[in-house]
Every structure is written in C-alpha cells, then in structure tokens.
C-alpha cells in the first residue's frame, strides 16, 4: 500500500546527482519522494528545469527545511561545506541522513582541512557518521544515522584495488591510478572547460596528482591494507556524458591473470553489483552505463610483473545516486538492490 | 508466480532492435524470455556479443525454429524479406507474431514491390496482419495474429501529423518533413558511413526524397486524411546514438500555436506515452531517450501561415522495440504500459 | 618584404570569430596582424586564453583604440550594438572597417529595430556600408569603407538559393529552410544549452521561425528576386563543433536535378569557393570543415515537384572569418583567395 | 617555378595516413604530387572516395608501379608486410622511400618476428633503412635511402620520455605509460569496435600490455638510456577523431616540476615542433590537432616522488604523415618545417 512507503526527500535536487536521485527514487518500490528542494530554482516545477521529467514528475521545488520536515530519509546532493547543519537537524529529528557531498567522508579533521581548507564545524557529528561503499563496508551501516556516500573516483578505484590489497600480494608503494571520467562528473555548473565546443574532440588530464579524492581513496585502501598507503592519481576528462574508468597499475607477486581472476571472483562472490569480466575481455564504461554495476577486468603484464586492473562504473549511479540508494536499502533493511535493477543498454 | 508469465521469444536477438527487445522484456512484469536466436552468433552466449548483459542474461543463442517452438509470442527483428515464412509458422501454431521488419507494413502489394522490389510471397497472410501505432490503431489489434510494428520515422512522423491532419485544417499538399536520426537506426551492420572517424563531427542528408519509409508514412496519414496524401521527406544522420527528431512544415488555416496546442492535447488526452510540450518549449531528442515517450512541440510561423510541428522519440524504443511491446501488451490484454515505464535520464 | 604587408587589427579577438580571424590572418601572405584587443582579457597573452597558439602567437591583448590606431584594416567581431562607434572612428581615420557583427547588415532601420530592438545610432554611416557575400555582391565592395560581413546562416542559405531564385523558376512563397548548425555558432559565452553533458547526445530546434537571421536572409534573396520574399526558417543545433548545413525546399517548374545542376554550375562558374557536388552525392558539413568552401548538392522530389537544395559551410570560416578575409582581399585588390586555400581534412 | 618541384608519389593514398599525406603535400611549397595509388579504388578519382577533395584534387588512382616510376620520393602508407618489395624497387631506381608502415621500424629481426610473426624478407635492405623521429634522430637521415617513419604512439611517447631518460635521473624500471588515442588511429577499415553507436559514449583499453608498438617504444628509449628498458604500456580508445595523449609515470630523483621544466626546455631548445607548456598548464589533444606539434606538460607528484609527463600529438600529422614530410624535408635539404606550418584551430 502506498502509505507504507518510506518518505524520502532530496536537498539539492536540481544538481546532477540530485536529479539522478529523483529519477532512481521515482522507480524505487519501497519509497516515495515527498519533497525536493533547490536554492537556485525554488518555486519552479522540477520538470521545467529538466524537461525529461515532463508529465512524470512536475512537483514544485521547495526549501531545505520543508524537505527535512516531510521526509524520514533525507538525501543531500550539495557542494561541500553545506551538509553539517543539515546533518545536525536530521539527527535531532531522528531522520536518516545520506550525504552525497564530501563533508563527512574523511575521518581525520587534519586531512579534511589540508584538502578542503576548512575545519569540521560539528566534530561530534562526525563520530556518528559512517562512510560506506557497501561492498566493503556493508556491515557498518545497519544502524547508521548519517551515511557519508563516497564519490565517483572513490568508489570505482577502491573497488578495483580492494581484493589485491587485501590479499597482501601487492607492492603497496607502486600503486598508480590513471582515471578517466565522463563530463557529468563536473556537475551542472557552467565552466569554460565544459563548454561544448572546447571540450568536444578534446582530451586532457586535470588536477594532476592533486585531486581532492586522493585522501579519500587512500583512507579506504589504507584501512584494507592495515597500513598507510600513498597513491599517484591522475584524472582525465573524456568527452562523453557518463562513466568512469580507472586503469590501475600495481607491482605484485602474482604470476598471471588467472590468479587475479580467482582472487577477485572469490572476494566479490556475494556482491551482485560487481561484475568480474571473463579473462580476455576489457571493460568499457558503456557497459555499466545507467546501471549500478561496477565492472572489473584483470590483466597482467608478464614482461614487467605488474597487475593492471581496470574498473568502470556509471559515475552518477554507482558513483553517486545509485550507491546512495544502495546504502539506504541496507540501512533500512530493504533488499540491497531495490530500485537498482536497471539493465545497462548496449548502445 | 513465475510460471504464469507469458513465454516470449526473439528471432534476430543480436541486431540492435533485437537486443533492445531483450533489455526491455527482461524487465517486463508479465513475460519471460524463453528463447533467443541469431544466425550470425548461434551457439554463443548473448552476453558474449553484448557484454552489457554479462551476469544478467548469459543464455545461448539458438535458431529460429526453437524460438517459435518455445514461445507463445514471437518477435522478429530481421532485415526485410525474411518474415513471411516465420509468420506462416506462427499462425499455423497459433502463436502471436510481432514483426519489427518491413514485410507486413504496406497494405498494397504494388507499393511494396515499387519500394522493396519484391512481391508478397504469402498474400493471404497479409490479410491477417495488422499495422499498429497504438495511439492511432489501438482498437485494431485486440485479436491480431500478426502485428506489423512500424519503423522509427514511420512512428515519429505520423504521431506528429495526425491531429492536424485529422482536424481537416492542414493544406495536404504542403507537407514537408525534415527528419534527423541517431545512428543506431542504421543498425549493427558495418558501413563506411557509420565508421566513427567519418560520421563523427559530420552531418548529412541521405536517401533524399527516396527513403523506403515514405510509402509507409503516406499510407498512415492518407488513412487519417481520407484521401491520398504525398509528402516530401528528407532524412538526415545525427552523430548521436539514439533518437529521431522530425521537423514538419504544413500550411494551415490555424491562427496560432494555441489552436494547435489545444487540438493536440485533446487528440492525445488518453495517451500516456505522448507528451505535448508546453508552448514555448522545443523538444529535444535527449528528453525521450531510453523511454517509450513521443514528445511533440507546436510552433506557428505567423509570417507565412505555416504550422511547424516537431516530434521526437527514441528510435529504438518507441521507434522499434518499446512500441512492439506496447502492441503486445494491448494484444494480450496487459496494461498498455507494462514494462515501459522507464524514466528518461536528463543527461 | 615584411614591412610591405598591410597592417590589420582585430577587436574582439578572443571570441570564436575573433580567434578564427587570428588563425587565418597569421597565415595570410599579404597582411600582418599588428594588434588585437579583448575587453575580457586585456593585458593577458592571447595564447594564455587559447593554448593552441602557444609559441606561435603570444602577444598581449590590448584595447580597441590601440587596435584602430595601429591598423589599416580593422576587423571587429563583437556582439551586436557595439560596432557603430568603431566604424565612425575608422571612417574618420580612413581605415577599412570590416564588421563581423550584425550592426550594419540590415538596410532598413525599421527592420533592424523590429528584430534587434534598437535604432541606428549613426544612420549616415549605414549609407557608406556595404553588405557582401562576395559571390553575390563582389562588385559592390571595391571601394568600400565599411563592409558588413554576413553571418553563418545568412551566407550558407542565400548561396544555396540564389541561382534558383535568379532563374525565375522558383515559386517564391514556398521556401522552407531547415538549417542545422554546429555549436561554435553559439559563441564562447557559457550557457546551459551548450554545457557539454546537456548538449551532447541531444538534438533540438531553437528560435523556431523567430531567429534574427530571417530578415537578413530575406533581404538578400528579395534583392535577387526583385520582389519581397518571405521564408520559413528553423535552425537546429547539432552536437558537433563546426559546420552549418541547410536543407531548403522550394516548389519549382524545373523537371529534374539535371536542370538544377546545369543552372548552378553556370551561375557559379567563376566562383572558386562554391563547389557544386556531382549529382547523386549529398553534401556533408565535414567536407568543408576548416575551409572557405560552400558545398551545394541538388535534389529533386519528382513525386511532389519540389527542388531540395542542400548547402553547407564551415560556420566559422565561410560563415564568418574566412569570408571577412575574402571581402578584405577584394576590397584591397589582393587575390580573392589569398590566405584561404586550406584544404578541408577528410576526418 | 613549378617544374623545379620535387616529384612525389603516394602508395596507399586512400587509407587515412595516405589521404593525410595528400592533404599536406598538396600544400607543400617544394613538391608536387605526381601519382597516387590504391588497390581498393584503382581507376577511380580520389575525390570520389574523399569528397573533401572535390574540385581540389580529382586525379585518378593508379597502381604501385606507376607511382614508383613517376616519383622521386615514394611514400607508402600500407598495412605491415607489404613494404619490402616497394623499398627494393625504390632503392634499385634510386628513389627515396619513406615508409609509414611497420616493416622497417624494428632493428632486430627476432623482435620483429616475435611481435609481427614474420621474418624480414630482405635483411640487406634493413641495413640501409633509417628509423627517424626527427627531434631524436635528425642527424641520421641526411643521406637515407629508406626512412622508417615511426607510428603514432611511438612518436608521442619517446618524445615525452627522452629528456628525462637522457638525464639519467629516471628509475628505468618504473616506467608506466597510459596512452589514449583518437579513433583515426584505427584506420579506415571497418570493425565493430569503430562502429559509431558502439564506440560513441564509450571508453576502453585495448591490447593491454600487448600492443605492437611496445618493442618500438622500448627500442627508442633503450638507445637513449644506453641499456635495455622495459615499459608497461596500455593504450585506450577515445571517442574523438584525432589525437594521442600519453600520461607517463616515472620515479625520479628530481625534486619538483621546475627541474623537469628546465631539463625539457633545454633538451628541445632547437626543435620548433616541440612545445613545452608553461608549468601549471596541462596539455590537451585538441591544441595540437591538425598540426605537427608535440605538446608536453610536466608534473611532479611530491607525495610519491614520481614525475608525470603528459605529451600529445595529432596522430595523423606528427604521428604519421606530418612527420613523414618532416623526415623528407630533412633528407632532401628543405626547410625542416616546409609544408608543416598549419596553426592548430582552437575548436
């Protein structure tokens, strides 16, 4: 019955992660969207801003407080620095808060300050927040009040590295991550870089070895390794809409691809959203597009003794809104894949 | 219960329309895919050919006869000229046959021969086949045995023209259709035209005033007009994957957009998959992508007295496989939109 | 010798038409660029803004007055409404002024006011300005002081229509122009429409029957026709960087393509930048990319008696900066094609 | 005077490297194209195959022997395995032979056999052939009879690595090369991979650690290092037409970017086609498009002590046909940059 559905709300619904939450949650069997907000477009119909929703979801955008009030689960998809006061209200009102921004992702205030040039305003809140890539941290979030949902690179990369690092067979100071992202990762805001005639038919790196996702990646894999790991990380921009692909290089004492393949299949044997590609195949971002899958292919350079691991996700689904829903599903005891069963189109 | 689902099969499952049928039917609540076939890839797993399906649908491709045998509804997505024998078998075995090819689309054998250089092999079968764009022909197909499913241009264009033609207010000898198609419409077969470096960053017309969809478009709108109508039709190729957009020009005695808007809203008031855009908005193919919607925007050139109607669909969904499922739903008494509720992504 | 080269300057050098002027004029055998200006980036090196010019042209951007002062020929590539004071200074100082903006394109002040909501500030100046598509107006500009350089649509479309209209065999009230433009036509300024994730994989019409190029197109073809002609014009946006393609529909008493072909070959027999494609071929924007060519293909719909003329140019070369140089060449007595001999790349 | 121009010919003129040679050589001040050949299109006009050349270069395609006979310089742009007999004829007839294929690139017959599964048919010829990236091997080719012109990756990557390797400050067993290529690198031949709807909006690696350019890259940098160097090399396919970008990771005892910058500026101080980007900028393939430039940007990851070097070229110009012309210019004593002064467009 409709009135048994969980009431959810979205703060920042007109950003790309926000509108993707709308699209996915509208099709979720266990929830209903009760309220959406936007600072930029308050008072306008959401389908005015995104005509793809015309006749499907024409509700008016409200404000942050009305979303919190009307929802049992509050998602925020905002630039960093805005989530702590929202989290505070949600905790006080006993609402589950799921943050797609960066504010609760880093455990260490020092690290946060180093990369985001800002202190924690509410250090106490951070103790109640749980960072979760479900395949790695599923057990943590059963009773979470605040869930820090990882970003796109920081999901794709640790999922690709975790089994090899966990195995103890990686040389930890040799990790190099060459990542490539579709353009929706840059968000809805206008920049010269994402102006069509300048981005189209181009390809470039950006924030070379200085991207803010570095400490988040290192935090996750250091926990797995049981020691501090540093990585070299270079992101690039692909002239496509969606998708992240990371090519990762690590020295290892594994002997061939088969060892890697067995290791990864075993590690992820209970994870429906991880697809280890058959040996000989190479992942392509298009094959996980619009789905919650993380595809991983395993390669080995015998000539140099390096494992080459390639993983790909849809940056807006598994890399943002889909994973946030997956986290919600676990926290609320729904089926982990509820609302996330979209089959990626082949073209 | 699963065993109450209708058994469906797909002949030609590895072409683009075929694999789109697979994607959509896998998510359909009332059917299960029992068999799929491919001449080119018989014996191989379908996910080998389309890795997007890896771990989701890994069944082996069989042959045509096994599909017919194992299915109560048989879809065929084949080049023209191959469907009559399949239809014959299906009719004999009392299976519903839904043809995504061109063989049963034209009523007149003479017209078929003129444009396809081939006779009907089984003229009797053609009397049992029903051509159906559901919004225009819904009532015909309740008891159909053979459904001729229209192509992409031939869905998008008549849906855009029907209300104005039906109103009697169009000057019928002034219809000009300038259509633009994404590249998946050209199919999976390799051609120099669709070779990436040659198609990308290009734009051109093709088959100027000579495309085989002309007689099919004229057949549909002549029936609505109650007299023979001829159109000028020029298709173009857009360097995108999916979508068809048709810009249609017609002299009319309407006075402004408002008249058109009211006329269209009334005509399609019971059709959930037709979205008449608010006046002032202009349809974009991206907003119906991956959905079964046909979006229509209405414009009027006061300076010359011409209506300008723009309609857009996803050529692979409403223009092929989605519409075939919509036709099946009606023919079998399912909810007309079953399996077709995907919300188009905004980017 | 270098000091015999004509000194030219560019006002608005960091917009797209401006930077294209820089690229083309740097390779022109008879001129040297003496000064460039930009309001937005004054004081910065031009190669800072456009790194493609790094080590080739690293000069600093100055202001408008310094450009005028240092140049014998002044190009302005500015938004409309800014050119009249520049023209005034140039005329006073006896410099040739070539305006790539809209200010001097329309003869009638009433028409200008209707479409641009602004009066002529200097009506006297307009009497000294010459509008020139060289193939149609070459003779006018030998002694011009102010040259109004046409825009992209307004070059591509009249070149496609001129021979048929001049022949007297077109039915003048049936002209429909369905045009498609690459995205550089929208300029360097940021808009949601040209934000990569929203424009890519989309296609739409814009300013349906209301684009400001309509009066300019009508002005040119009415002069050819010797009577007032009205057209229906609908522009669309193609997700590519460069190129305009116009598909034009006109009722005619011509009997076939051959008549059209002979008519066009004869009309343009002395115009090196017009290429009439062999019958049976269809123009593609990519084949004139980065060149000053206008490619035209001729088609005839026997079923409806309509000529279909397709013409294509590079909107930034023949549709802007290349044509401005062609106009300069004629005005200064250089070879008409000087600096414009680039061969379009095939991919 | 025209009859003093050197006569050149192109074998394999309708492949992508061949047609790019045509485009560039038509604009070369010191040569004229005397003959072109194609096995697939013999007897047809070259502008029939590539309409971009319509009215510019409409000559008929002949055969290999007629090209050799009519030319003083013979370029071959063929799949590997076909160049030795051509080289033999050219040497006998005392023509300069410039091979854009792979046949003469590897010094070691064993290595060639390992990667190409074929022996040298004419080992003596190989002793007369000179492999040349001009910036690294300029002095070798003054009197060459056979010039082996490097491929795209094998130009872009050694140019990016050479200064650091030459300096002795690189840890040679840590070189990882993550390269990305536009699609023209795959050539004109049709494949499912380069079929537009499958490549567009996708991104993938291919031939992971097994691409045939590996031994060629290692040959060049081992010569510079003075010892055998092995690299890990993973190429990827970008959905754009032109351009290669390589991101290279190397442990070094350099301390920061400044050291790298000075080292590279010094190394290439006499090379007009190498552009070292100002520190802080990051190369983008679009900025060298359609030009013979190799752009290099230098980065340093202080956290891990790795140099990150990014280099980019147009794969069809500096990575194929432009470099072949540069080699010809040096061998014949022309200005090294003759015919290669195209300025890259900014969009």
């Amino acid at each position: 019955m409709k009135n048994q559905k969980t009431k959810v709300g979205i703060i920042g619904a007109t950003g790309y992660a926000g509108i993707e939450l709308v699209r996915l949650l509208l099709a979720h069997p266990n929830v209903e969207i009760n309220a959406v907000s936007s600072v930029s477009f308050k008072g306008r119909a959401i389908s005015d801003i995104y005509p793809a929703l015309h006749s499907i979801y024409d509700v008016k955008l409200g404000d942050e407080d009305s979303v919190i009030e009307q929802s049992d689960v509050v998602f925020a998809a905002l630039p960093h620095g805005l989530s702590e006061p929202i989290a505070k209200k949600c905790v006080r009102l006993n609402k589950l808060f799921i943050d797609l921004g960066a504010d609760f992702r880093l455990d260490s205030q020092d690290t946060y300050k180093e990369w985001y040039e800002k202190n924690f305003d509410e250090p106490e809140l951070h103790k109640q927040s749980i960072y979760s890539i479900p395949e790695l941290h599923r057990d943590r979030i059963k009773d979470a009040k605040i869930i820090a949902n990882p970003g796109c690179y920081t999901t794709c990369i640790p999922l690709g590295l975790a089994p090899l690092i966990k195995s103890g067979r990686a040389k930890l100071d040799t990790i190099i991550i060459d990542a490539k992202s579709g353009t929706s990762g840059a968000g809805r805001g206008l920049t010269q870089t994402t102006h069509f005639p300048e981005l189209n038919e181009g390809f470039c790196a950006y924030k070379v070895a200085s991207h803010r996702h570095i400490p988040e990646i290192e935090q996750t894999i250091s926990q797995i390794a049981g020691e501090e790991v540093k990585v070299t990380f270079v992101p690039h921009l692909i002239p496509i809409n969606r998708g992240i692909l990371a090519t990762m290089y690590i020295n290892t004492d594994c002997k061939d691809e088969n060892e890697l393949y067995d290791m990864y299949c075993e590690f992820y044997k209970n994870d429906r959203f991880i697809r280890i590609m058959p040996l000989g195949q190479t992942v392509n971002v298009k094959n996980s597009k619009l789905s919650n899958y993380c595809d991983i292919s395993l390669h080995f350079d015998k000539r140099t003794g390096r494992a080459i691991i390639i993983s790909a996700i849809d940056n807006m689904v598994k890399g943002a809104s889909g994973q946030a829903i997956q986290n919600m599903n676990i926290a609320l005891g729904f089926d982990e894949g509820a609302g996330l069963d979209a089959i990626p189109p082949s073209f």
Side-chain angles (χ1 to χ4, degrees), chain A:
Chain A
M1 278 165 290
K2 198 177 172 189
N3 56 9
Q4 295 180 329
K5 291 191 173 182
T6 298
K7 293 169 180 172
V8 304
I10 302 158
I11 296 170
T14 57
Y16 282 174
I19 201 67
E20 192 75 349
L21 277 170
V22 170
R23 184 177 71 86
L24 294 170
L25 289 168
L26 284 173
H28 194 291
N30 307 121
V31 309
E32 64 181 333
I33 304 179
N34 244 36
V36 288
S37 78
S38 161
V39 169
S40 314
F41 301 107
K42 190 182 159 182
R44 290 181 62 186
I46 197 167
S47 57
D48 238 38
I49 318 305
Y50 288 103
L53 293 179
H54 178 67
S55 88
I56 300 170
Y57 192 65
D58 297 304
V59 302
K60 285 218 170 108
L61 291 151
D63 62 20
E64 184 180 306
D65 283 337
S66 66
V67 170
I68 297 174
E69 197 178 305
Q70 297 175 54
S71 314
D72 296 321
V73 179
V74 174
F75 293 90
L78 299 171
H80 75 269
L82 301 171
S83 293
E84 284 176 292
I86 300 171
K88 197 171 180 181
K89 288 182 206 166
C90 288
V91 167
R92 186 161 21 110
L93 298 167
N94 203 27
K95 321 259 182 176
L96 172 60
F97 177 60
I98 302 178
D99 188 20
L100 283 80
D103 296 12
F104 289 96
R105 291 184 189 157
L106 293 176
D107 294 339
S108 152
Q109 178 157 199
D110 290 347
T111 307
Y112 185 74
K113 190 167 188 186
E114 181 187 344
W115 291 86
Y116 291 89
E117 290 160 14
K118 190 178 169 310
N119 279 314
F120 290 166
D121 288 328
E122 307 281 350
E124 283 307 304
L125 275 181
H126 287 258
K127 295 180 189 156
Q128 302 176 56
S129 80
I130 308 290
Y131 181 87
S132 169
I133 301 170
E135 288 76 9
L136 303 179
H137 311 125
R138 190 179 283 125
D139 298 337
R140 298 184 183 175
I141 55 171
K142 288 276 154 60
D143 302 305
K145 292 299 174 202
I146 300 171
I147 297 175
N149 198 62
C152 46
Y153 290 123
T154 54
T155 294
C156 183
I157 290 161
L159 286 173
L161 292 173
L164 181 54
I165 289 180
K166 185 73 181 174
S167 76
R169 305 187 58 183
K171 198 157 175 316
L172 293 173
D173 63 350
T174 66
I175 300 174
I176 288 173
I177 302 158
D178 191 287
K180 300 89 176 174
S181 174
T183 63
S184 55
R188 189 177 187 273
L190 306 181
T191 64
Q192 209 65 45
T193 304
T194 52
H195 188 49
F196 188 90
E198 309 205 5
L199 194 146
N200 184 44
E201 291 296 292
F203 188 86
C204 62
Y206 66 102
K207 296 183 187 162
V208 177
S210 61
H211 192 286
R212 281 172 170 163
H213 281 179
I214 291 173
E216 196 179 328
I217 293 165
E218 292 181 345
Q219 173 179 286
T220 302
I221 63 176
S222 294
Q223 286 169 5
I224 295 169
E227 64 180 276
E228 202 190 342
V229 181
K230 290 214 174 302
V231 302
T232 291
F233 172 59
V234 179
H236 302 73
L237 197 52
I238 324 171
I240 63 173
N241 282 4
R242 283 172 182 258
I244 275 188
L245 184 143
T247 311
M248 295 171 275
Y249 304 85
I250 315 133
N251 291 59
T252 172
D253 63 8
C254 290
K255 291 288 169 297
D256 57 24
E257 289 103 342
N258 296 304
E259 277 193 80
L260 293 168
Y261 184 77
D262 293 342
M263 179 194 294
Y264 276 67
C265 286
E266 175 63 22
F267 189 94
Y268 287 124
K269 66 185 171 194
N270 296 318
D271 292 297
R272 76 180 93 174
F273 290 123
I274 309 292
R275 301 194 295 188
I276 309 302
M277 301 310 288
L279 287 182
Q281 289 190 24
T282 304
V283 300
N284 188 318
V285 288
K286 80 181 165 116
N287 290 325
S288 49
K289 197 161 73 166
L290 290 158
S291 83
N292 201 50
Y293 290 106
C294 174
D295 287 348
I296 299 175
S297 69
L298 300 159
H299 312 268
F300 188 72
D301 185 1
K302 287 205 177 137
R303 304 169 68 260
T304 61
R306 287 188 185 105
I308 301 166
I309 299 156
I310 309 181
S311 76
I313 59 171
D314 183 314
N315 57 313
M316 299 309 299
V317 185
K318 184 63 178 165
S321 307
Q323 181 153 278
I325 293 169
Q326 190 182 356
N327 274 321
M328 174 192 75
N329 288 342
I330 298 168
L332 299 188
F334 299 151
D335 178 82
E336 185 173 330
L340 298 171
D341 51 3
I343 299 169
S346 290
F347 52 85

